[in-house]
Amino acid sequence: MSEALTNRVDGFSLQEHCEQRNGQEKSEEDQVDPWNVVSKSETGVDYDKLIQRFGSSKIDDELLVRFEKVIGKPVHHLLKRGFFFSHRDLHSILTRYEQGKPFYLYTGRGPSSSSMHLGHLIPFTLCKWLQEVFNVPLVIQLTDDEKTLWKDLTVDEAYKMGIENAKDIIACGFDVNKTFIFSDFTYIGQRKEFYQNMIRIQKCVTFNQVKGIFGFDDSTVIGKISFPAVQASPALSTSFPDIFGTQKIPCLIPCAIDQDPYFRMTRDVCPRIGFDKPALMHSKFFPALQGAKTKMSASEANSTIYMNDTPKQLKNKINKHAFSGGQATVEEHRKIGGNCDLDISYQYLRFFLEDDARLEEIRKSYTSGELLTGELKKILIDTLTPLITKHQEVRAQISNETVQQFMTPRKLC
């Protein structure tokens, strides 16, 4: 048996991950992979089962206490409320910070529309907080090549969408002196070190393995088969010689849990080519307006609140499409109360309403039946409208020159 099949990653070999995935396709109710997220439950994906399936570790209270002790301040509400719920080797990153050793952040965006939606803000919101807390560089990969391969998009269309998405990302407030945003279409050709790392990774993973990990088959185009090495390469610091030179520095990757297969593969390969395994923080999915069975998708306009939606569009989408946990009539609702676990308006408030006391007040009022569904939707509308309006105002001030600043390979502070 080859070395590639016998190496262990997070308690499993790559072969076992392949076999595990094949078994899940037949037996598991929740479908979770980089391209599809579907749950049979009205409350969404069972994340405890997902941790077991993927072999990751839970971000528990003990880890959060250590996190707060290390940084000397409360953790972000996305961590406190469990939206980032799973990790790989986060303890090692906290230890490096305590020891004064360097690391960097890496996350990405696959541009499939000209505007990002609310769900896309989640990893970037946490990345901005992590960047400020740890004072470290951040690299953001725009996988325009991936979207050209998986979507009905031309190279030019995907590239232009990536540039528009970069404006949305910059509008989140990232520090240009610590942030590098790059398009795969342009950067891979600019820096031979990135391409060399891609080849090092590709050399370690067989066609049979990527079929098993990602579900590819004999009819899959060769671009898809080779793409996992592209997403893995930013986890190798030498892919960015302008930032890190030849130093081998580990990274922390905040991402949605559906991206984990890419990085399980990466973590298997890294020690074999002389790099530390990347650490990961996994987020839950941002549910579609129609309910938690699927995640919000940029491809389905009415499942999504875009960052460029007008206040009227936002209001109409929530009022018409946001799944309700309330009862059929006002009388029943007053008597029985609403179900916050199912109600999408309440679930969205858990992401974006930072006031814990106010959120708890809303939960109690809706559960008791005192607060009606229409009133809850209005609270969400009033919470999201200023957030999106402010984002649009900031984005409107971002010039092409500013985008070019963020996307120019250079030394970061």
Side-chain angles (χ1 to χ4, degrees), residues 206-285:
T206 68
F207 176 45
N208 196 46
Q209 286 172 336
V210 292
K211 284 199 298 184
I213 298 167
F214 299 101
F216 301 151
D217 58 33
D218 292 343
S219 298
T220 302
V221 297
I222 59 174
K224 291 182 180 181
I225 294 162
S226 62
F227 175 76
V230 181
Q231 186 156 322
S233 293
L236 279 56
S237 58
T238 56
S239 296
F240 307 102
D242 302 275
I243 304 173
F244 304 112
T246 58
Q247 295 182 83
K248 293 183 177 180
I249 299 171
C251 69
L252 171 62
I253 308 173
C255 63
I257 187 70
D258 59 344
Q259 298 301 299
D260 189 67
Y262 284 113
F263 300 116
R264 289 206 300 273
M265 183 198 80
T266 308
R267 283 168 58 84
D268 175 78
V269 170
C270 277
R272 294 156 56 195
I273 57 175
F275 288 85
D276 289 328
K277 294 180 180 182
L280 286 99
M281 297 172 68
H282 300 124
S283 72
K284 294 180 178 179
F285 303 115

Coordinates of all heavy atoms in Angstrom, one line a residue, residues 206-285:
T206 N -3.7 10.9 -5.0 CA -4.0 10.2 -6.2 C -5.4 10.5 -6.7 O -6.3 11.1 -6.0 CB -4.0 8.7 -5.9 OG1 -5.1 8.3 -5.0 CG2 -2.7 8.2 -5.3
F207 N -5.6 10.2 -8.0 CA -7.0 10.4 -8.6 C -8.0 9.6 -7.8 O -9.1 10.1 -7.6 CB -6.9 9.9 -10.1 CG -8.3 10.0 -10.8 CD1 -9.1 11.1 -10.6 CD2 -8.7 9.0 -11.6 CE1 -10.3 11.1 -11.3 CE2 -9.9 9.0 -12.2 CZ -10.7 10.1 -12.1
N208 N -7.7 8.4 -7.4 CA -8.6 7.6 -6.6 C -9.0 8.2 -5.3 O -10.2 8.1 -4.9 CB -8.0 6.2 -6.4 CG -9.0 5.2 -5.9 OD1 -10.0 5.0 -6.6 ND2 -8.7 4.4 -4.9
Q209 N -8.0 8.9 -4.7 CA -8.3 9.6 -3.4 C -9.3 10.8 -3.6 O -10.2 11.0 -2.9 CB -7.0 10.0 -2.8 CG -6.3 8.8 -2.2 CD -4.9 9.2 -1.7 OE1 -4.3 10.2 -2.1 NE2 -4.4 8.4 -0.7
V210 N -9.0 11.6 -4.6 CA -9.9 12.8 -4.8 C -11.3 12.3 -5.2 O -12.3 13.0 -4.9 CB -9.3 13.8 -5.8 CG1 -8.1 14.5 -5.2 CG2 -9.0 13.2 -7.2
K211 N -11.4 11.2 -5.9 CA -12.7 10.7 -6.3 C -13.4 10.3 -5.0 O -14.6 10.6 -4.8 CB -12.6 9.4 -7.2 CG -12.3 9.8 -8.6 CD -12.6 8.6 -9.5 CE -11.8 7.4 -9.2 NZ -12.1 6.3 -10.2
G212 N -12.7 9.7 -4.1 CA -13.3 9.3 -2.8 C -13.7 10.4 -1.9 O -14.7 10.4 -1.3
I213 N -12.8 11.4 -1.8 CA -13.0 12.6 -0.9 C -14.1 13.5 -1.4 O -15.0 13.9 -0.7 CB -11.7 13.4 -0.7 CG1 -10.6 12.5 -0.1 CG2 -12.0 14.6 0.1 CD1 -9.2 13.2 -0.2
F214 N -14.1 13.8 -2.7 CA -15.0 14.8 -3.3 C -16.1 14.3 -4.1 O -16.9 15.0 -4.6 CB -14.1 15.8 -4.1 CG -13.1 16.5 -3.3 CD1 -11.8 16.1 -3.3 CD2 -13.4 17.5 -2.4 CE1 -10.8 16.7 -2.6 CE2 -12.5 18.2 -1.7 CZ -11.1 17.8 -1.7
G215 N -16.1 13.0 -4.4 CA -17.2 12.4 -5.1 C -17.1 12.5 -6.6 O -18.0 12.4 -7.4
F216 N -15.9 12.8 -7.1 CA -15.6 12.9 -8.5 C -15.8 11.5 -9.2 O -15.6 10.5 -8.5 CB -14.2 13.4 -8.8 CG -13.9 14.8 -8.3 CD1 -12.7 15.2 -7.9 CD2 -15.0 15.7 -8.1 CE1 -12.4 16.4 -7.4 CE2 -14.7 17.0 -7.6 CZ -13.4 17.3 -7.2
D217 N -16.1 11.5 -10.5 CA -16.1 10.2 -11.2 C -15.4 10.3 -12.5 O -14.7 11.3 -12.8 CB -17.6 9.8 -11.4 CG -18.4 10.8 -12.1 OD1 -17.9 11.5 -13.0 OD2 -19.6 10.9 -11.9
D218 N -15.5 9.3 -13.3 CA -14.7 9.2 -14.6 C -15.2 10.3 -15.6 O -14.5 10.5 -16.6 CB -14.8 7.8 -15.2 CG -14.1 6.8 -14.4 OD1 -13.3 7.2 -13.5 OD2 -14.3 5.6 -14.5
S219 N -16.4 10.9 -15.3 CA -16.8 11.9 -16.3 C -16.5 13.3 -15.8 O -16.8 14.3 -16.5 CB -18.4 11.8 -16.4 OG -18.7 10.5 -17.0
T220 N -15.9 13.4 -14.6 CA -15.6 14.8 -14.1 C -14.5 15.4 -14.9 O -13.5 14.8 -15.3 CB -15.1 14.6 -12.6 OG1 -16.1 14.0 -11.8 CG2 -14.8 16.0 -12.0
V221 N -14.6 16.7 -15.2 CA -13.6 17.4 -16.0 C -12.3 17.5 -15.2 O -12.3 17.6 -14.0 CB -14.0 18.8 -16.5 CG1 -15.3 18.7 -17.4 CG2 -14.3 19.7 -15.3
I222 N -11.2 17.4 -15.9 CA -9.9 17.4 -15.2 C -9.6 18.6 -14.4 O -8.8 18.6 -13.4 CB -8.7 17.1 -16.2 CG1 -8.6 18.2 -17.3 CG2 -8.9 15.7 -16.8 CD1 -7.4 18.1 -18.2
G223 N -10.2 19.8 -14.7 CA -10.0 21.0 -13.9 C -10.5 20.8 -12.5 O -9.9 21.3 -11.6
K224 N -11.7 20.1 -12.4 CA -12.2 19.9 -11.0 C -11.3 19.0 -10.2 O -11.1 19.1 -9.0 CB -13.6 19.3 -11.1 CG -14.7 20.3 -11.6 CD -16.1 19.6 -11.7 CE -17.1 20.5 -12.2 NZ -18.5 19.9 -12.2
I225 N -10.8 18.0 -10.9 CA -10.0 17.0 -10.2 C -8.7 17.6 -9.7 O -8.2 17.3 -8.6 CB -9.6 15.8 -11.2 CG1 -10.9 15.1 -11.6 CG2 -8.6 14.9 -10.6 CD1 -10.7 14.2 -12.9
S226 N -8.2 18.6 -10.4 CA -6.9 19.2 -9.9 C -7.2 20.4 -9.0 O -6.2 20.9 -8.3 CB -6.1 19.7 -11.1 OG -6.8 20.7 -11.8
F227 N -8.4 20.9 -8.9 CA -8.7 22.1 -8.1 C -8.4 22.0 -6.7 O -7.9 23.0 -6.1 CB -10.1 22.6 -8.3 CG -10.4 23.8 -7.5 CD1 -9.9 25.0 -7.8 CD2 -11.1 23.6 -6.3 CE1 -10.1 26.1 -6.9 CE2 -11.3 24.7 -5.4 CZ -10.8 26.0 -5.7
P228 N -8.6 20.9 -6.0 CA -8.3 20.8 -4.5 C -6.9 21.3 -4.1 O -6.7 21.9 -3.1 CB -8.6 19.4 -4.2 CG -9.6 18.9 -5.1 CD -9.3 19.6 -6.4
A229 N -6.0 21.0 -5.0 CA -4.6 21.5 -4.7 C -4.5 23.0 -4.7 O -3.6 23.6 -4.1 CB -3.6 20.9 -5.7
V230 N -5.4 23.7 -5.5 CA -5.4 25.1 -5.6 C -5.9 25.7 -4.3 O -5.3 26.7 -3.8 CB -6.2 25.6 -6.8 CG1 -6.2 27.1 -6.9 CG2 -5.8 25.0 -8.1
Q231 N -6.9 25.1 -3.8 CA -7.5 25.6 -2.5 C -6.6 25.3 -1.3 O -6.6 26.0 -0.3 CB -8.9 25.1 -2.3 CG -9.6 25.7 -1.0 CD -11.1 25.6 -1.1 OE1 -11.7 25.8 -2.1 NE2 -11.7 25.4 0.1
A232 N -5.8 24.2 -1.5 CA -4.9 23.9 -0.4 C -3.6 24.7 -0.3 O -3.1 25.0 0.8 CB -4.5 22.4 -0.6
S233 N -3.2 25.2 -1.5 CA -1.9 25.9 -1.5 C -1.8 27.2 -0.7 O -0.7 27.5 -0.2 CB -1.5 26.3 -3.0 OG -1.3 25.1 -3.7
P234 N -2.8 28.0 -0.5 CA -2.7 29.1 0.4 C -2.4 28.8 1.9 O -2.0 29.6 2.7 CB -4.0 29.9 0.3 CG -4.5 29.5 -1.0 CD -4.1 28.0 -1.2
A235 N -2.6 27.5 2.2 CA -2.2 27.1 3.6 C -0.7 26.9 3.8 O -0.3 26.5 4.9 CB -3.0 25.8 3.9
L236 N 0.0 27.0 2.7 CA 1.5 26.9 2.7 C 2.1 28.4 2.6 O 1.9 29.0 1.6 CB 2.0 26.1 1.6 CG 2.0 24.5 1.8 CD1 0.6 24.0 2.1 CD2 2.6 23.8 0.6
S237 N 2.7 28.8 3.6 CA 3.1 30.2 3.7 C 4.1 30.6 2.5 O 4.0 31.8 2.1 CB 3.8 30.6 5.0 OG 4.9 29.7 5.2
T238 N 4.8 29.7 2.0 CA 5.8 30.0 0.9 C 5.0 30.3 -0.4 O 5.7 30.7 -1.4 CB 6.8 28.9 0.7 OG1 6.1 27.7 0.5 CG2 7.7 28.8 2.0
S239 N 3.7 30.1 -0.4 CA 3.0 30.5 -1.6 C 2.9 32.0 -1.7 O 2.5 32.5 -2.8 CB 1.5 29.9 -1.5 OG 1.6 28.5 -1.5
F240 N 3.3 32.7 -0.7 CA 3.2 34.2 -0.6 C 4.6 34.7 -0.3 O 4.8 35.2 0.8 CB 2.2 34.6 0.4 CG 0.8 34.0 0.2 CD1 0.4 32.9 1.0 CD2 0.0 34.4 -0.8 CE1 -0.8 32.3 0.8 CE2 -1.2 33.8 -1.0 CZ -1.7 32.8 -0.2
P241 N 5.5 34.7 -1.3 CA 6.9 35.1 -1.0 C 7.0 36.6 -0.6 O 7.9 37.0 0.1 CB 7.7 34.7 -2.3 CG 6.6 34.7 -3.3 CD 5.4 34.2 -2.6
D242 N 6.1 37.4 -1.2 CA 6.1 38.8 -0.9 C 5.8 39.1 0.6 O 6.3 40.1 1.2 CB 5.2 39.6 -1.7 CG 5.4 39.4 -3.2 OD1 6.3 40.1 -3.8 OD2 4.8 38.5 -3.8
I243 N 5.0 38.2 1.2 CA 4.6 38.4 2.6 C 5.6 37.7 3.6 O 6.1 38.3 4.5 CB 3.2 37.9 2.8 CG1 2.2 38.5 1.9 CG2 2.8 38.1 4.3 CD1 0.8 37.9 1.9
F244 N 5.9 36.4 3.3 CA 6.6 35.6 4.2 C 8.0 35.2 3.8 O 8.7 34.5 4.5 CB 5.8 34.3 4.5 CG 4.4 34.6 5.0 CD1 3.3 34.3 4.2 CD2 4.2 35.1 6.2 CE1 2.0 34.5 4.7 CE2 2.9 35.4 6.7 CZ 1.8 35.1 5.9
G245 N 8.3 35.5 2.5 CA 9.6 35.0 2.0 C 9.6 33.5 2.0 O 8.7 32.9 1.4
T246 N 10.7 32.9 2.5 CA 10.8 31.5 2.5 C 10.4 30.8 3.9 O 10.6 29.6 4.1 CB 12.2 31.0 2.1 OG1 13.1 31.6 3.1 CG2 12.6 31.5 0.7
Q247 N 9.9 31.7 4.8 CA 9.5 31.2 6.1 C 8.3 30.2 6.0 O 7.4 30.5 5.3 CB 9.2 32.3 7.0 CG 10.3 33.3 7.4 CD 9.8 34.3 8.3 OE1 9.7 34.1 9.6 NE2 9.4 35.5 7.8
K248 N 8.4 29.1 6.8 CA 7.3 28.2 6.9 C 6.5 28.5 8.1 O 7.0 28.1 9.3 CB 7.8 26.8 6.8 CG 8.4 26.4 5.5 CD 8.8 24.9 5.4 CE 9.4 24.6 4.0 NZ 9.8 23.2 4.0
I249 N 5.4 29.1 8.0 CA 4.6 29.6 9.1 C 3.2 29.0 9.0 O 2.6 29.0 7.9 CB 4.5 31.2 9.1 CG1 5.8 31.8 9.2 CG2 3.5 31.7 10.2 CD1 5.8 33.3 8.9
P250 N 2.7 28.5 10.1 CA 1.3 27.8 10.0 C 0.2 28.9 9.9 O 0.4 30.1 10.2 CB 1.2 27.1 11.4 CG 2.1 27.8 12.3 CD 3.3 28.3 11.4
C251 N -1.0 28.4 9.5 CA -2.1 29.3 9.4 C -3.3 28.8 10.1 O -3.4 27.6 10.4 CB -2.4 29.6 7.9 SG -3.1 28.2 7.0
L252 N -4.3 29.7 10.4 CA -5.6 29.4 10.9 C -6.6 29.7 9.9 O -6.6 30.8 9.3 CB -5.8 30.2 12.2 CG -7.2 30.1 12.8 CD1 -7.6 28.7 13.2 CD2 -7.4 31.1 14.0
I253 N -7.5 28.8 9.6 CA -8.5 28.9 8.5 C -9.9 28.9 9.1 O -10.4 27.9 9.4 CB -8.4 27.8 7.5 CG1 -6.9 27.6 7.0 CG2 -9.3 28.0 6.3 CD1 -6.7 26.4 6.1
P254 N -10.5 30.1 9.2 CA -12.0 30.1 9.5 C -12.8 29.9 8.2 O -12.6 30.5 7.2 CB -12.2 31.5 10.0 CG -10.8 32.1 10.2 CD -9.9 31.4 9.2
C255 N -13.6 28.9 8.3 CA -14.4 28.5 7.1 C -15.7 27.8 7.5 O -15.8 27.3 8.6 CB -13.6 27.7 6.1 SG -13.1 26.1 6.7
A256 N -16.6 27.7 6.6 CA -17.8 26.9 6.8 C -17.4 25.4 6.8 O -16.5 25.0 6.1 CB -18.9 27.1 5.8
I257 N -18.1 24.6 7.5 CA -17.8 23.1 7.7 C -17.8 22.4 6.4 O -17.1 21.4 6.3 CB -18.7 22.5 8.8 CG1 -18.3 21.1 9.1 CG2 -20.2 22.5 8.3 CD1 -17.0 20.9 9.9
D258 N -18.5 22.9 5.4 CA -18.6 22.1 4.1 C -17.3 22.2 3.4 O -17.0 21.4 2.5 CB -19.7 22.6 3.2 CG -19.6 24.1 2.9 OD1 -18.9 24.8 3.6 OD2 -20.4 24.5 2.0
Q259 N -16.4 23.1 3.7 CA -15.1 23.2 3.1 C -14.0 22.3 3.7 O -12.9 22.2 3.2 CB -14.6 24.7 3.1 CG -15.5 25.6 2.4 CD -15.6 25.3 1.0 OE1 -14.6 25.3 0.2 NE2 -16.9 25.1 0.5
D260 N -14.4 21.6 4.8 CA -13.4 20.8 5.5 C -12.8 19.7 4.7 O -11.6 19.4 4.9 CB -14.1 20.2 6.8 CG -13.1 19.5 7.7 OD1 -12.3 20.2 8.3 OD2 -13.2 18.3 7.8
P261 N -13.5 19.0 3.8 CA -12.8 18.0 3.0 C -11.5 18.5 2.3 O -10.5 17.8 2.2 CB -13.9 17.6 1.9 CG -15.2 17.8 2.6 CD -14.9 19.1 3.4
Y262 N -11.5 19.7 1.8 CA -10.3 20.3 1.2 C -9.2 20.3 2.2 O -8.0 20.0 1.8 CB -10.6 21.7 0.7 CG -11.4 21.9 -0.5 CD1 -12.7 22.4 -0.5 CD2 -10.9 21.5 -1.7 CE1 -13.4 22.6 -1.7 CE2 -11.6 21.6 -2.9 CZ -12.9 22.2 -2.9 OH -13.6 22.3 -4.0
F263 N -9.5 20.7 3.4 CA -8.4 20.9 4.4 C -8.0 19.6 5.2 O -6.9 19.5 5.7 CB -8.8 22.1 5.3 CG -8.9 23.3 4.5 CD1 -10.2 24.0 4.4 CD2 -7.9 23.8 3.7 CE1 -10.4 25.1 3.7 CE2 -8.1 25.0 3.0 CZ -9.3 25.6 2.9
R264 N -8.9 18.6 5.2 CA -8.5 17.3 5.6 C -7.4 16.8 4.7 O -6.4 16.2 5.1 CB -9.7 16.3 5.7 CG -10.7 16.6 6.8 CD -11.4 15.4 7.3 NE -12.2 14.8 6.2 CZ -13.4 15.1 5.9 NH1 -14.0 16.1 6.5 NH2 -14.1 14.4 5.0
M265 N -7.6 16.9 3.4 CA -6.6 16.5 2.4 C -5.3 17.3 2.6 O -4.2 16.8 2.6 CB -7.2 16.8 1.0 CG -6.2 16.3 -0.1 SD -6.6 17.1 -1.7 CE -5.9 18.7 -1.5
T266 N -5.5 18.6 2.8 CA -4.3 19.5 3.0 C -3.5 19.1 4.3 O -2.3 19.0 4.3 CB -4.8 21.0 3.2 OG1 -5.6 21.3 2.1 CG2 -3.6 21.9 3.2
R267 N -4.2 18.8 5.4 CA -3.6 18.4 6.6 C -2.8 17.1 6.5 O -1.9 16.8 7.2 CB -4.6 18.4 7.7 CG -5.0 19.8 8.2 CD -6.2 19.7 9.1 NE -6.0 18.9 10.3 CZ -5.4 19.3 11.4 NH1 -4.9 20.5 11.5 NH2 -5.2 18.4 12.4
D268 N -3.3 16.2 5.6 CA -2.6 15.0 5.4 C -1.3 15.2 4.6 O -0.3 14.6 4.9 CB -3.5 14.0 4.6 CG -2.8 12.7 4.2 OD1 -2.7 11.9 5.1 OD2 -2.3 12.6 3.0
V269 N -1.4 16.1 3.7 CA -0.2 16.3 2.8 C 0.9 17.2 3.5 O 2.1 16.9 3.3 CB -0.7 17.0 1.5 CG1 0.5 17.4 0.6 CG2 -1.6 16.0 0.7
C270 N 0.5 18.2 4.2 CA 1.5 19.2 4.7 C 2.7 18.5 5.4 O 3.8 18.9 5.1 CB 0.8 20.2 5.7 SG 0.0 21.5 4.8
P271 N 2.5 17.6 6.4 CA 3.7 17.1 7.0 C 4.7 16.3 6.1 O 5.9 16.3 6.3 CB 3.2 16.2 8.1 CG 1.8 16.6 8.3 CD 1.3 17.1 7.0
R272 N 4.1 15.8 5.0 CA 4.9 15.0 4.1 C 5.7 15.9 3.1 O 6.7 15.4 2.5 CB 4.0 14.1 3.3 CG 3.3 13.1 4.2 CD 2.0 12.6 3.6 NE 2.1 12.1 2.2 CZ 1.1 11.8 1.4 NH1 -0.1 12.1 1.8 NH2 1.3 11.3 0.2
I273 N 5.4 17.2 3.1 CA 6.2 18.1 2.2 C 6.8 19.2 3.1 O 7.3 20.2 2.6 CB 5.3 18.7 1.1 CG1 4.1 19.5 1.7 CG2 4.9 17.6 0.1 CD1 3.3 20.2 0.6
G274 N 6.9 19.0 4.4 CA 7.7 19.8 5.3 C 7.0 21.0 5.8 O 7.6 22.0 6.2
F275 N 5.6 21.0 5.9 CA 4.9 22.1 6.5 C 4.0 21.7 7.7 O 3.7 20.5 7.8 CB 4.0 22.7 5.4 CG 4.7 23.5 4.3 CD1 5.2 22.8 3.2 CD2 4.8 24.9 4.4 CE1 5.8 23.5 2.2 CE2 5.5 25.6 3.4 CZ 6.0 24.9 2.3
D276 N 3.7 22.7 8.6 CA 2.8 22.4 9.6 C 1.4 22.3 9.1 O 1.0 22.9 8.1 CB 2.8 23.5 10.7 CG 4.1 23.6 11.5 OD1 4.7 22.5 11.7 OD2 4.5 24.7 11.9
K277 N 0.6 21.4 9.7 CA -0.8 21.3 9.4 C -1.5 22.7 9.6 O -1.3 23.3 10.7 CB -1.5 20.2 10.2 CG -1.1 18.8 9.9 CD -1.8 17.8 10.8 CE -1.4 16.4 10.5 NZ -2.2 15.5 11.3
P278 N -2.4 23.1 8.8 CA -3.2 24.3 9.1 C -4.2 24.0 10.2 O -4.7 22.8 10.3 CB -3.9 24.6 7.8 CG -4.0 23.3 7.1 CD -2.8 22.5 7.4
A279 N -4.5 25.0 11.0 CA -5.6 24.8 12.0 C -6.9 25.4 11.4 O -6.8 26.2 10.5 CB -5.2 25.6 13.3
L280 N -8.0 24.9 11.9 CA -9.3 25.3 11.3 C -10.3 25.7 12.4 O -10.3 25.1 13.5 CB -9.9 24.2 10.4 CG -9.2 24.0 9.1 CD1 -8.3 22.9 9.1 CD2 -10.2 23.8 8.0
M281 N -11.2 26.6 12.0 CA -12.4 26.9 12.8 C -13.6 26.8 11.9 O -13.6 27.5 10.8 CB -12.3 28.3 13.4 CG -11.2 28.5 14.4 SD -11.0 30.2 14.9 CE -12.5 30.5 15.9
H282 N -14.5 25.9 12.2 CA -15.6 25.7 11.3 C -16.9 26.4 11.8 O -17.3 26.3 12.9 CB -16.0 24.2 11.3 CG -14.9 23.3 10.9 ND1 -14.4 22.2 11.6 CD2 -14.1 23.3 9.7 CE1 -13.4 21.6 11.0 NE2 -13.2 22.2 9.8
S283 N -17.5 27.0 10.8 CA -18.8 27.7 11.1 C -20.0 26.9 10.7 O -19.9 26.0 9.8 CB -18.9 29.1 10.4 OG -19.1 28.9 9.0
K284 N -21.1 27.1 11.3 CA -22.4 26.5 10.9 C -22.8 27.2 9.6 O -22.3 28.3 9.3 CB -23.4 26.7 12.0 CG -23.1 25.9 13.3 CD -24.2 26.0 14.3 CE -23.9 25.2 15.6 NZ -24.9 25.4 16.6
F285 N -23.9 26.7 9.0 CA -24.4 27.3 7.8 C -25.4 28.3 8.1 O -26.2 28.3 9.1 CB -25.0 26.2 6.9 CG -24.1 25.1 6.6 CD1 -24.3 23.8 7.1 CD2 -23.0 25.3 5.8 CE1 -23.5 22.7 6.8 CE2 -22.1 24.3 5.5 CZ -22.4 23.0 6.0

